[in-house]
Amino acid sequence: QKEVEQNSGPLSVPEGAIASLNCTYSDRVSQSFFWYRQYSGKSPELIMSIYSNGDKEDGRFTAQLNKASQYVSLLIRDSQPSDSATYLCAVRGNTGGFKTIFGAGTRLFVKA
Amino acid sequence: DAGVTQSPTHLIKTRGQQVTLRCSPKSGHDTVSWYQQALGQGPQFIFQYYEEEERQRGNFPDRFSGHQFPNYSSELNVNALLLGDSALYLCASSLMGAEQYFGPGTRLTVT
């Protein structure tokens, strides 16, 4: 079992729709969760971080965390063609310097 | 406010050679982590440096080594290069190991 699992996609949504990206993780003691966006040929860009159960909203993005189910998701409202990228879920076990584990990413295509 | 910078941007090396990659963290950050990203995969953690010491290491052989300088900048060294070392090498900086911000990466090709 992979430590952080994501559906590789591609996930295709029409412009203006809600894109839903999901991630599961295996380490129950994980404390910190991150979503990164990576455009082709570029480095990952931090979108959201979430540390406690529930929802966290930032503009068009909402991160959702359920530690009991070991599940974290990212919703993108009013999807735009510029949102087309690979979205990486990342999980860290404890506070401080512990390593961050990344999923392989989900490719998102937003059709104009 | 300067973000994370890395050099060089691209590098081509031959099997068996050695390479050094460099990273300058975002202003105000004190922690540097290095990642290897193969095509179609997520970044894989190599190691993290804080206060000039390696704080944690991922599943990479001893051929991969690093260093952090007093100004928080860092180097990644890879010895005895293999074809499989071809990848995008990413540096990420953070304050006390919190949210990490990535540099543009160094694309290493081993022939």
Side-chain angles (χ1 to χ4, degrees), chain A residues 42-73:
Chain A
K42 301 295 185 181
S43 63
E45 172 191 7
L46 180 65
I47 300 174
M48 298 274 290
S49 59
I50 186 166
Y51 303 98
S52 55
N53 282 328
D55 295 359
K56 179 181 178 182
E57 186 175 319
D58 184 0
R60 295 187 297 113
F61 299 97
T62 299
Q64 300 175 316
L65 174 61
N66 184 326
K67 290 186 179 180
S69 300
Q70 295 174 237
Y71 176 91
V72 59
S73 66

Side-chain angles (χ1 to χ4, degrees), chain A residues 36 38 43 49 92 97-98 100, chain B residues 37 48 56 97-100 103:
Chain A
Y36 287 83
Q38 186 171 27
S43 63
S49 59
R92 191 165 67 219
F98 289 81
T100 302
Chain B
Q37 187 176 26
Q48 183 180 88
Q56 188 160 9
E99 296 177 344
Q100 297 181 84

Side-chain angles (χ1 to χ4, degrees), chain B residues 14-66:
Chain B
T14 304
R15 278 180 300 176
Q17 287 188 318
Q18 178 265 343
V19 67
T20 297
L21 310 181
R22 296 176 175 82
C23 171
S24 290
K26 182 179 171 67
S27 178
H29 285 184
D30 58 6
T31 304
V32 173
S33 300
W34 286 93
Y35 293 84
Q36 179 194 68
Q37 187 176 26
L39 201 60
Q41 300 297 316
Q44 300 293 311
F45 177 80
I46 302 175
F47 40 55
Q48 183 180 88
Y49 277 85
Y50 173 71
E51 292 190 340
E52 302 179 52
E53 290 192 2
E54 183 182 294
R55 185 154 66 172
Q56 188 160 9
R57 188 179 184 91
N59 296 324
F60 280 80
D62 292 343
R63 297 187 297 109
F64 290 77
S65 63

Side-chain angles (χ1 to χ4, degrees), chain A residues 10-21 35-40 45 47 58-62 74-88 106-112:
Chain A
L11 172 65
S12 184
V13 301
E15 184 176 359
I18 295 175
S20 178
L21 305 164
W35 283 100
Y36 287 83
R37 176 175 62 196
Q38 186 171 27
Y39 292 112
S40 180
E45 172 191 7
I47 300 174
D58 184 0
R60 295 187 297 113
F61 299 97
T62 299
L74 178 71
L75 301 178
I76 307 175
R77 290 181 299 281
D78 189 23
S79 295
Q80 301 296 311
S82 59
D83 294 327
S84 298
T86 296
Y87 289 80
L88 299 165
T106 297
R107 291 170 57 203
L108 173 67
F109 288 108
V110 181
K111 298 175 293 185

